[in-house]
Protein backbone atom coordinates (compact mmCIF):
# COMPACT_ATOMS: atom_id res chain seq x y z
CA UNK A 1 0.00 0.00 0.00
CA UNK A 2 1.28 3.46 -0.87
CA UNK A 3 1.45 5.95 1.99
CA UNK A 4 2.12 9.65 1.66
CA UNK A 5 2.82 12.74 3.72
CA UNK A 6 2.99 16.33 2.56
CA UNK A 7 3.96 19.68 4.06
CA UNK A 8 4.58 23.33 3.24
CA UNK A 9 8.13 22.32 2.45
CA UNK A 10 9.91 19.11 1.54
CA UNK A 11 13.71 19.30 1.80
CA UNK A 12 15.20 16.29 -0.03
CA UNK A 13 18.77 17.53 0.79
CA UNK A 14 20.16 16.16 -2.50
CA UNK A 15 17.85 18.49 -4.45
CA UNK A 16 16.40 21.99 -3.93
CA UNK A 17 13.56 22.37 -1.38
CA UNK A 18 10.10 21.79 -2.79
CA UNK A 19 7.36 24.20 -1.74
CA UNK A 20 4.12 22.32 -1.19
CA UNK A 21 5.86 18.97 -1.47
CA UNK A 22 4.78 15.36 -1.00
CA UNK A 23 6.70 12.18 -0.20
CA UNK A 24 5.12 8.88 -1.27
CA UNK A 25 6.42 5.56 0.03
CA UNK A 26 5.56 1.90 -0.32
CA UNK A 27 6.90 -1.18 1.51
CA UNK A 28 9.31 1.02 3.45
CA UNK A 29 10.81 2.61 0.34
CA UNK A 30 10.38 6.11 -1.09
CA UNK A 31 8.65 5.99 -4.48
CA UNK A 32 8.10 9.68 -5.24
CA UNK A 33 9.19 13.12 -4.03
CA UNK A 34 7.32 15.88 -5.84
CA UNK A 35 4.97 18.83 -5.66
CA UNK A 36 1.64 17.67 -4.28
CA UNK A 37 -0.66 17.33 -1.33
CA UNK A 38 -1.48 14.20 0.63
CA UNK A 39 -4.40 13.41 2.86
CA UNK A 40 -1.90 13.60 5.71
CA UNK A 41 -0.75 17.19 5.18
CA UNK A 42 1.32 19.09 7.75
CA UNK A 43 0.66 22.80 7.48
CA UNK A 44 3.45 25.12 8.66
CA UNK A 45 5.91 22.23 8.65
CA UNK A 46 8.88 20.86 6.73
CA UNK A 47 9.66 17.24 5.88
CA UNK A 48 13.35 16.38 6.02
CA UNK A 49 15.29 13.12 5.75
CA UNK A 50 15.46 11.42 9.16
CA UNK A 51 18.58 12.54 11.00
CA UNK A 52 21.52 10.17 11.15
CA UNK A 53 23.19 10.45 14.55
CA UNK A 54 26.74 9.27 13.93
CA UNK A 55 27.80 8.91 17.57
CA UNK A 56 25.66 7.91 20.54
CA UNK A 57 25.76 5.86 23.72
CA UNK A 58 22.05 5.18 24.29
CA UNK A 59 22.68 3.36 27.54
CA UNK A 60 23.93 6.61 29.12
CA UNK A 61 20.64 8.39 28.37
CA UNK A 62 20.07 9.38 31.99
CA UNK A 63 23.66 10.22 33.00
CA UNK A 64 23.08 13.94 32.50
CA UNK A 65 25.29 16.17 34.60
CA UNK A 66 27.39 13.43 36.20
CA UNK A 67 30.78 15.00 36.87
CA UNK A 68 29.97 18.21 35.02
CA UNK A 69 32.91 20.66 35.01
CA UNK A 70 35.23 18.03 36.51
CA UNK A 71 38.61 17.29 34.96
CA UNK A 72 38.67 14.11 32.88
CA UNK A 73 40.13 11.84 35.63
CA UNK A 74 37.47 12.41 38.33
CA UNK A 75 34.82 12.65 35.60
CA UNK A 76 35.46 9.14 34.27
CA UNK A 77 35.85 7.72 37.80
CA UNK A 78 32.39 9.10 38.70
CA UNK A 79 30.91 7.46 35.62
CA UNK A 80 32.52 4.07 36.26
CA UNK A 81 31.42 3.92 39.90
CA UNK A 82 27.85 5.00 39.11
CA UNK A 83 27.54 2.61 36.15
CA UNK A 84 28.30 -0.24 38.55
CA UNK A 85 24.96 0.43 40.31
CA UNK A 86 23.00 -0.72 37.26
CA UNK A 87 22.08 -4.29 36.37
CA UNK A 88 21.32 -5.46 32.84
CA UNK A 89 17.62 -4.73 33.18
CA UNK A 90 18.26 -1.15 34.26
CA UNK A 91 20.74 -0.65 31.43
CA UNK A 92 18.09 -1.80 28.96
CA UNK A 93 15.54 0.59 30.47
CA UNK A 94 17.95 3.49 30.10
CA UNK A 95 18.84 2.51 26.52
CA UNK A 96 15.13 2.39 25.68
CA UNK A 97 14.80 5.94 26.93
CA UNK A 98 17.77 6.92 24.75
CA UNK A 99 16.20 5.34 21.66
CA UNK A 100 12.93 7.16 22.27
CA UNK A 101 14.72 10.47 22.87
CA UNK A 102 16.45 10.04 19.52
CA UNK A 103 13.16 9.40 17.72
CA UNK A 104 11.69 12.42 19.48
CA UNK A 105 14.53 14.48 18.05
CA UNK A 106 13.79 13.29 14.50
CA UNK A 107 16.67 10.82 14.45
CA UNK A 108 16.00 7.69 12.39
CA UNK A 109 19.49 6.10 12.44
CA UNK A 110 22.07 5.88 15.21
CA UNK A 111 25.65 4.68 15.33
CA UNK A 112 25.79 3.52 18.94
CA UNK A 113 28.86 2.42 20.87
CA UNK A 114 27.43 0.04 23.45
CA UNK A 115 29.15 -1.19 26.60
CA UNK A 116 26.50 -3.75 27.57
CA UNK A 117 24.80 -4.40 24.23
CA UNK A 118 21.48 -3.11 25.61
CA UNK A 119 21.25 -0.65 22.72
CA UNK A 120 20.66 -3.51 20.26
CA UNK A 121 17.47 -4.58 22.01
CA UNK A 122 16.39 -0.99 22.71
CA UNK A 123 16.77 0.17 19.09
CA UNK A 124 15.10 -2.97 17.74
CA UNK A 125 12.12 -2.46 20.08
CA UNK A 126 11.84 1.24 19.25
CA UNK A 127 12.06 0.61 15.50
CA UNK A 128 15.14 2.82 15.22
CA UNK A 129 17.67 2.01 12.49
CA UNK A 130 21.03 1.35 14.10
CA UNK A 131 24.54 0.09 13.93
CA UNK A 132 25.37 -1.05 17.46
CA UNK A 133 29.12 -1.32 17.99
CA UNK A 134 29.86 -3.58 20.98
CA UNK A 135 32.67 -2.05 23.01
CA UNK A 136 35.86 -3.92 23.80
CA UNK A 137 38.69 -2.70 26.01
CA UNK A 138 41.69 -4.92 25.43
CA UNK A 139 45.43 -4.97 25.01
CA UNK A 140 45.94 -8.63 24.00
CA UNK A 141 43.74 -9.30 20.97
CA UNK A 142 42.67 -12.56 22.64
CA UNK A 143 40.94 -10.51 25.37
CA UNK A 144 39.11 -8.51 22.70
CA UNK A 145 38.04 -11.74 21.05
CA UNK A 146 36.69 -13.07 24.34
CA UNK A 147 34.79 -9.85 25.12
CA UNK A 148 33.38 -9.81 21.59
CA UNK A 149 32.09 -13.37 21.75
CA UNK A 150 30.66 -12.84 25.22
CA UNK A 151 28.78 -9.66 24.20
CA UNK A 152 27.85 -10.84 20.70
CA UNK A 153 25.88 -13.82 21.96
CA UNK A 154 23.71 -11.47 24.04
CA UNK A 155 22.47 -9.45 21.04
CA UNK A 156 20.66 -10.08 17.79
CA UNK A 157 20.70 -8.48 14.37
CA UNK A 158 17.39 -7.47 12.82
CA UNK A 159 16.59 -5.95 9.43
CA UNK A 160 17.12 -2.50 11.00
CA UNK A 161 19.84 -3.24 13.54
CA UNK A 162 23.35 -4.25 12.52
CA UNK A 163 25.95 -5.35 15.03
CA UNK A 164 29.49 -4.01 14.91
CA UNK A 165 32.42 -3.75 17.28
CA UNK A 166 34.10 -0.81 18.98
CA UNK A 167 37.69 -0.99 20.10
CA UNK A 168 37.13 1.78 22.68
CA UNK A 169 40.15 4.06 22.10
CA UNK A 170 43.83 3.84 21.23
CA UNK A 171 44.73 4.32 24.90
CA UNK A 172 42.70 1.31 26.04
CA UNK A 173 43.22 -0.99 23.04
CA UNK A 174 46.33 -2.21 21.25
CA UNK A 175 46.92 -2.19 17.51
CA UNK A 176 46.46 -5.97 17.58
CA UNK A 177 43.02 -5.42 19.10
CA UNK A 178 42.20 -2.97 16.30
CA UNK A 179 43.42 -5.50 13.72
CA UNK A 180 41.27 -8.23 15.25
CA UNK A 181 38.19 -5.94 15.17
CA UNK A 182 38.83 -4.97 11.55
CA UNK A 183 39.24 -8.63 10.56
CA UNK A 184 35.67 -9.49 11.61
CA UNK A 185 33.97 -7.97 8.57
CA UNK A 186 31.49 -6.04 10.73
CA UNK A 187 31.24 -2.24 11.17
CA UNK A 188 34.06 -0.91 13.40
CA UNK A 189 34.07 2.34 15.36
CA UNK A 190 36.40 3.92 17.88
CA UNK A 191 37.09 7.15 19.76
CA UNK A 192 40.14 9.02 18.51
CA UNK A 193 42.05 12.19 19.38
CA UNK A 194 39.31 13.41 21.70
CA UNK A 195 41.18 15.35 24.37
CA UNK A 196 44.44 17.16 25.07
CA UNK A 197 44.95 14.54 27.81
CA UNK A 198 45.00 11.83 25.15
CA UNK A 199 47.62 13.71 23.15
CA UNK A 200 49.71 14.32 26.30
CA UNK A 201 49.62 10.64 27.18
CA UNK A 202 50.57 9.57 23.65
CA UNK A 203 53.41 12.04 23.35
CA UNK A 204 54.84 11.92 26.87
CA UNK A 205 53.13 9.09 28.79
CA UNK A 206 51.98 11.59 31.42
CA UNK A 207 48.84 13.43 32.54
CA UNK A 208 45.42 12.30 33.79
CA UNK A 209 45.24 9.23 31.52
CA UNK A 210 48.51 7.94 32.99
CA UNK A 211 47.27 8.59 36.54
CA UNK A 212 43.98 6.71 36.17
CA UNK A 213 45.87 3.49 35.60
CA UNK A 214 43.22 1.78 33.45
CA UNK A 215 45.26 2.54 30.37
CA UNK A 216 47.67 -0.23 29.75
CA UNK A 217 49.21 0.28 26.34
CA UNK A 218 52.70 1.79 26.40
CA UNK A 219 52.49 5.20 24.70
CA UNK A 220 54.35 5.28 21.39
CA UNK A 221 55.60 8.89 21.58
CA UNK A 222 53.50 9.98 18.62
CA UNK A 223 50.26 11.88 18.21
CA UNK A 224 47.07 9.77 18.61
CA UNK A 225 46.17 9.72 14.90
CA UNK A 226 49.72 8.69 13.95
CA UNK A 227 49.61 5.97 16.58
CA UNK A 228 46.75 4.32 14.68
CA UNK A 229 48.32 4.88 11.26
CA UNK A 230 48.71 1.18 10.45
CA UNK A 231 45.00 0.48 10.99
CA UNK A 232 43.37 3.67 9.68
CA UNK A 233 41.06 3.09 6.72
CA UNK A 234 37.57 3.57 5.31
CA UNK A 235 36.11 0.92 7.64
CA UNK A 236 37.16 2.52 10.94
CA UNK A 237 34.67 5.16 12.10
CA UNK A 238 36.47 7.64 14.37
CA UNK A 239 34.48 9.75 16.83
CA UNK A 240 35.76 13.21 17.81
CA UNK A 241 39.14 13.87 16.05
CA UNK A 242 39.54 17.16 17.89
CA UNK A 243 43.27 16.92 18.56
CA UNK A 244 44.35 16.74 14.93
CA UNK A 245 46.94 18.88 13.19
CA UNK A 246 47.40 19.43 9.46
CA UNK A 247 49.33 16.22 8.94
CA UNK A 248 46.69 14.24 10.85
CA UNK A 249 43.95 15.74 8.66
CA UNK A 250 45.92 14.81 5.56
CA UNK A 251 46.38 11.25 6.82
CA UNK A 252 42.66 10.86 7.67
CA UNK A 253 41.78 12.14 4.18
CA UNK A 254 44.35 9.95 2.40
CA UNK A 255 42.99 6.84 4.15
CA UNK A 256 39.33 7.86 3.64
CA UNK A 257 38.72 7.55 7.40
CA UNK A 258 35.13 8.49 8.38
CA UNK A 259 34.81 10.90 11.32
CA UNK A 260 31.91 11.60 13.70
CA UNK A 261 31.97 15.24 14.75
CA UNK A 262 30.53 15.87 18.26
CA UNK A 263 30.84 19.61 18.91
CA UNK A 264 28.72 19.85 22.08
CA UNK A 265 30.47 16.95 23.80
CA UNK A 266 33.88 18.33 22.86
CA UNK A 267 32.97 21.78 24.16
CA UNK A 268 31.40 20.67 27.44
CA UNK A 269 34.25 18.32 28.35
CA UNK A 270 36.67 21.15 27.65
CA UNK A 271 38.30 19.14 24.86
CA UNK A 272 38.29 21.88 22.24
CA UNK A 273 36.84 22.55 18.79
CA UNK A 274 37.43 19.99 16.07
CA UNK A 275 38.64 21.43 12.75
CA UNK A 276 35.44 20.64 10.87
CA UNK A 277 36.13 22.99 7.97
CA UNK A 278 39.67 21.72 7.27
CA UNK A 279 38.49 18.11 7.59
CA UNK A 280 35.69 18.70 5.10
CA UNK A 281 37.94 20.68 2.77
CA UNK A 282 40.41 17.79 2.77
CA UNK A 283 37.60 15.47 1.65
CA UNK A 284 37.16 13.54 4.91
CA UNK A 285 33.72 11.91 5.26
CA UNK A 286 32.48 13.78 8.36
CA UNK A 287 29.12 13.07 10.01
CA UNK A 288 27.49 14.56 13.10
CA UNK A 289 26.91 12.91 16.48
CA UNK A 290 25.36 14.00 19.76
CA UNK A 291 27.46 11.63 21.85
CA UNK A 292 25.43 10.95 25.02
CA UNK A 293 24.12 12.70 28.13
CA UNK A 294 27.25 11.41 29.88
CA UNK A 295 28.90 14.41 28.24
CA UNK A 296 26.17 16.43 26.50
CA UNK A 297 22.82 17.44 27.99
CA UNK A 298 20.70 15.52 25.48
CA UNK A 299 20.29 13.58 22.23
CA UNK A 300 18.85 16.80 20.74
CA UNK A 301 20.15 16.71 17.18
CA UNK A 302 18.88 20.22 16.43
CA UNK A 303 21.11 21.57 19.21
CA UNK A 304 23.96 19.60 17.71
CA UNK A 305 23.35 21.09 14.25
CA UNK A 306 23.46 24.57 15.74
CA UNK A 307 26.55 23.79 17.81
CA UNK A 308 28.27 22.59 14.63
CA UNK A 309 27.43 25.87 12.93
CA UNK A 310 28.51 28.01 15.92
CA UNK A 311 31.77 26.12 16.35
CA UNK A 312 32.70 26.14 12.66
CA UNK A 313 31.91 29.83 12.16
CA UNK A 314 33.62 30.91 15.39
CA UNK A 315 36.70 28.81 14.65
CA UNK A 316 37.04 29.96 11.04
CA UNK A 317 35.82 33.52 11.72
CA UNK A 318 33.65 33.26 8.61
CA UNK A 319 29.85 33.39 8.54
CA UNK A 320 29.81 30.98 5.61
CA UNK A 321 32.10 28.37 7.23
CA UNK A 322 29.05 26.09 7.59
CA UNK A 323 25.74 27.16 6.04
CA UNK A 324 22.38 25.92 7.32
CA UNK A 325 22.00 23.76 4.22
CA UNK A 326 25.46 22.28 4.80
CA UNK A 327 24.62 21.64 8.45
CA UNK A 328 21.43 19.85 7.45
CA UNK A 329 23.45 17.71 5.03
CA UNK A 330 25.99 17.04 7.79
CA UNK A 331 23.26 15.61 10.04
CA UNK A 332 21.71 13.49 7.29
CA UNK A 333 23.53 12.40 4.13
CA UNK A 334 27.06 13.17 5.35
CA UNK A 335 26.50 11.09 8.47
CA UNK A 336 25.02 8.35 6.29
CA UNK A 337 28.17 8.43 4.14
CA UNK A 338 30.36 8.18 7.21
CA UNK A 339 28.42 5.04 8.19
CA UNK A 340 28.32 3.73 4.59
CA UNK A 341 24.52 3.79 4.69
CA UNK A 342 24.13 6.49 2.04
CA UNK A 343 22.75 4.10 -0.57
CA UNK A 344 19.74 3.57 1.73
CA UNK A 345 19.22 6.70 3.84
CA UNK A 346 20.24 10.34 4.27
CA UNK A 347 18.19 12.00 1.53
CA UNK A 348 14.59 11.94 0.36
CA UNK A 349 15.21 10.15 -2.90
CA UNK A 350 13.04 7.59 -4.69
CA UNK A 351 14.55 4.17 -4.13
CA UNK A 352 15.92 4.93 -0.66
CA UNK A 353 14.33 3.72 2.56
CA UNK A 354 11.45 5.86 3.83
CA UNK A 355 13.18 7.49 6.83
CA UNK A 356 11.74 10.94 7.34
CA UNK A 357 10.99 13.56 9.93
CA UNK A 358 8.24 16.17 10.04
CA UNK A 359 9.28 19.40 11.78
CA UNK A 360 6.79 22.14 12.64
CA UNK A 361 8.00 25.64 11.85
CA UNK A 362 4.75 27.33 12.92
CA UNK A 363 5.23 30.17 15.36
CA UNK A 364 9.02 30.09 15.02
CA UNK A 365 10.92 33.27 14.14
CA UNK A 366 11.67 31.59 10.80
CA UNK A 367 8.01 31.40 9.80
CA UNK A 368 6.85 32.44 7.19
CA UNK A 369 9.77 30.61 5.68
CA UNK A 370 12.36 32.23 3.47
CA UNK A 371 15.07 29.55 3.69
CA UNK A 372 13.60 26.19 4.75
CA UNK A 373 16.97 24.65 5.71
CA UNK A 374 17.75 27.60 7.99
CA UNK A 375 14.27 27.35 9.50
CA UNK A 376 14.83 23.69 10.40
CA UNK A 377 18.42 24.07 11.60
CA UNK A 378 18.01 27.28 13.61
CA UNK A 379 14.31 27.10 14.46
CA UNK A 380 13.90 23.34 14.98
CA UNK A 381 13.78 21.42 18.27
CA UNK A 382 12.51 18.05 19.51
CA UNK A 383 9.35 19.81 20.70
CA UNK A 384 8.72 20.75 17.08
CA UNK A 385 9.06 17.21 15.73
CA UNK A 386 5.55 16.12 14.81
CA UNK A 387 6.36 12.70 13.42
CA UNK A 388 9.35 10.44 12.85
CA UNK A 389 9.05 7.68 10.27
CA UNK A 390 11.58 4.84 9.98
CA UNK A 391 11.44 2.41 7.08
CA UNK A 392 7.92 3.61 6.28
CA UNK A 393 6.66 3.03 9.84
CA UNK A 394 5.64 5.92 12.09
CA UNK A 395 7.77 5.39 15.20
CA UNK A 396 7.09 8.67 16.94
CA UNK A 397 4.11 10.97 16.92
CA UNK A 398 4.09 14.07 19.09
CA UNK A 399 0.60 13.58 20.47
CA UNK A 400 1.45 10.10 21.72
CA UNK A 401 4.30 11.13 23.96
CA UNK A 402 2.36 10.22 27.10
CA UNK A 403 2.91 6.56 26.24
CA UNK A 404 6.49 7.03 27.33
CA UNK A 405 5.62 7.59 30.95
CA UNK A 406 6.59 4.07 31.92
CA UNK A 407 9.91 4.14 30.06
CA UNK A 408 10.77 7.46 31.68
CA UNK A 409 9.84 6.33 35.17
CA UNK A 410 11.91 3.12 34.97
CA UNK A 411 14.92 5.07 33.66
CA UNK A 412 14.46 7.68 36.33
CA UNK A 413 14.43 5.01 39.06
CA UNK A 414 17.71 3.72 37.63
CA UNK A 415 19.15 7.22 37.81
CA UNK A 416 18.02 7.60 41.41
CA UNK A 417 19.88 4.40 42.22
CA UNK A 418 23.03 5.82 40.65
CA UNK A 419 22.74 9.04 42.57
CA UNK A 420 22.68 7.03 45.79
CA UNK A 421 20.64 8.14 48.76
CA UNK A 422 18.11 10.85 48.14
CA UNK A 423 19.26 14.43 48.61
CA UNK A 424 18.52 15.89 52.03
CA UNK A 425 15.39 18.04 51.95
CA UNK A 426 15.97 21.74 51.49
CA UNK A 427 15.74 23.81 54.66
ZN1 LIG B 1 31.62 8.18 22.73
Amino acid sequence: MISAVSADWVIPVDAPPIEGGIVRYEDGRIVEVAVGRAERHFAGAAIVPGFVNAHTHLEYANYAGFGDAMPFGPWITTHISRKRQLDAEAMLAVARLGALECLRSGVTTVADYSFSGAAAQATADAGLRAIVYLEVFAVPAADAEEQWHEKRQRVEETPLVRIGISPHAPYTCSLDTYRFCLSLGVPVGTHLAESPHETEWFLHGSGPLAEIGMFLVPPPGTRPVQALESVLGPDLLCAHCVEVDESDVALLAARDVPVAHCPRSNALLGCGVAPLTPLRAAGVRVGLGTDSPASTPSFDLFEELRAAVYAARARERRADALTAAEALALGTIDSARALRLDADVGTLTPGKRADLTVVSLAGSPYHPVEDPAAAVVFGGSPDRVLETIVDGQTRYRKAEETEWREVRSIASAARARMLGSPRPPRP
Side-chain angles (χ1 to χ4, degrees), residues 2 26 40 63 78 142 164 177 185 211 250 260 270 279 342 408 423:
I2 293 189
E26 185 175 22
R40 289 214 300 136
Y63 284 41
T78 304
T177 288
E211 287 155 23
L279 284 164
D342 49 308
R408 283 193 192 285
R423 280 184 165 209

Side-chain angles (χ1 to χ4, degrees), residues 274-313:
L276 177 67
T277 305
L279 284 164
R280 285 162 57 89
V284 175
R285 282 182 286 140
V286 187
L288 186 71
T290 57
D291 210 336
S292 77
S295 55
T296 52
S298 64
F299 291 113
D300 183 341
L301 201 108
F302 296 93
E303 281 285 352
E304 206 66 48
L305 291 170
R306 290 191 281 273
V309 173
Y310 302 152
R313 292 185 188 181

Side-chain angles (χ1 to χ4, degrees), residues 162 224 416:
R162 277 196 76 187

Side-chain angles (χ1 to χ4, degrees), residues 55-57 60 113 135 168 190-191 194 239-240 262 265 291-292 295:
H55 187 58
T56 61
H57 300 270
Y60 303 153
Y113 293 6
E135 285 189 304
H168 166 257
T190 191
H191 300 93
E194 179 174 1
H240 304 304
C262 307
S265 170
D291 210 336
S292 77
S295 55

